Amino acid sequence: MVLDLYSGLYFHIGETEKKCFIEEIPDDTMVIGKYRTQLFDKQTNSFLPATPGLGMHVEIKDPDTKIILSRQYGSDGRFTFTSHTPGEHQICLHSNSSKLALFAGGKLRVHLDVQVGEHTNNYPEIAAKDKLSELQLRARQLLDQVEQIQKEQNYQRYREERFRMTSESTNQRVLWWSIAQTVILIVTGIWQMKHLKSFFEAKKLV
């Protein structure tokens, strides 16, 4: 995986390989992903734009591993979804080259850019559509940023709550395990004492 200043990042995949990424997303947040593919050409020893016949399958899973998007796209595509559960969302991509046999044993380069929250808004388009002045547009951007910050804060509180619950559950289990160990040691000690006493009585030593 390599960072690309122009399109987020790019990575290479083989014919049957699947690449997955984890994105932490608050609830009720829009996500837009854009990608474009390049096919390795052995003659020129470089990556060239992929043929239109090559497609990419995109699958999105929420933190509960429920599939919220599973769709086949072209060699260049754009996918969108809105999160309904806060947490880690899994974004997976793989090509359909195994069906079309387009690049026997070669590699495919995928440029991926994922935008979350207010970054998904096209403000020039919004300004033109709603006929907003520069000041009004800036106010709209600030409101969207504040809304996204509130969502991020709510998500952080949600994470802290889950961590606290996990810590309390772990501490409680450790406590009960310690109590169980103590009880076992006491019972074992009593049993050994009774066993030794019976042994000595049998030998008429006591």
Side-chain angles (χ1 to χ4, degrees):
M1 187 190 308
V2 181
L3 183 64
D4 187 336
L5 296 178
Y6 298 98
S7 58
L9 60 89
Y10 71 81
F11 55 91
H12 298 127
I13 58 174
E15 292 185 42
T16 58
E17 189 178 1
K18 177 189 286 189
K19 286 283 188 179
C20 294
F21 304 90
I22 300 297
E23 189 77 28
E24 291 192 359
I25 306 171
D27 60 342
D28 194 27
T29 300
M30 177 175 284
V31 179
I32 295 179
K34 300 176 183 178
Y35 72 87
R36 59 186 176 89
T37 58
Q38 292 178 305
L39 192 63
F40 183 74
D41 183 59
K42 294 182 179 179
Q43 294 181 347
T44 62
N45 196 32
S46 62
F47 285 92
L48 301 176
T51 58
L54 189 144
M56 294 293 294
H57 187 270
V58 179
E59 183 179 87
I60 314 293
K61 292 183 180 180
D62 67 7
D64 299 323
T65 67
K66 178 182 177 183
I67 297 176
I68 57 178
L69 175 66
S70 180
R71 184 177 171 183
Q72 188 76 22
Y73 294 88
S75 56
D76 294 352
R78 177 179 183 271
F79 57 89
T80 63
F81 68 93
T82 300
S83 62
H84 299 291
T85 304
E88 295 182 344
H89 288 67
Q90 190 179 68
I91 303 173
C92 296
L93 299 93
H94 64 88
S95 74
N96 64 355
S97 61
S98 58
K99 294 181 180 179
L100 300 178
L102 289 177
F103 59 104
K107 281 194 175 292
L108 189 70
R109 175 179 287 179
V110 182
H111 298 260
L112 177 65
D113 181 26
V114 178
Q115 298 176 333
V116 181
E118 82 276 6
H119 298 292
T120 62
N121 294 330
N122 188 335
Y123 287 106
E125 184 178 314
I126 293 173
K129 181 180 178 181
D130 297 339
K131 298 180 180 179
L132 301 177
S133 65
E134 184 177 351
L135 182 60
Q136 289 174 323
L137 180 61
R138 183 57 182 163
R140 170 70 180 271
Q141 289 176 315
L142 290 174
L143 288 174
D144 290 341
Q145 289 174 1
V146 169
E147 183 180 357
Q148 187 62 31
I149 290 172
Q150 288 177 337
K151 290 179 180 179
E152 292 286 349
Q153 289 177 336
N154 291 336
Y155 174 57
Q156 293 301 324
R157 282 194 289 267
Y158 168 78
R159 288 186 61 187
E160 290 174 1
E161 179 67 18
R162 290 193 62 181
F163 179 75
R164 184 184 62 80
M165 291 175 63
T166 302
S167 298
E168 290 179 353
S169 176
T170 302
N171 292 335
Q172 190 174 21
R173 290 177 182 178
V174 170
L175 175 62
W176 282 112
W177 174 244
S178 300
I179 293 173
Q181 283 183 315
T182 303
V183 171
I184 291 171
L185 288 173
I186 293 173
V187 171
T188 303
I190 294 173
W191 178 84
Q192 287 179 337
M193 290 178 63
K194 287 185 176 181
H195 179 72
L196 288 172
K197 184 177 181 182
S198 300
F199 174 78
F200 288 135
E201 287 177 345
K203 295 293 183 178
K204 297 181 179 180
L205 296 175
V206 178

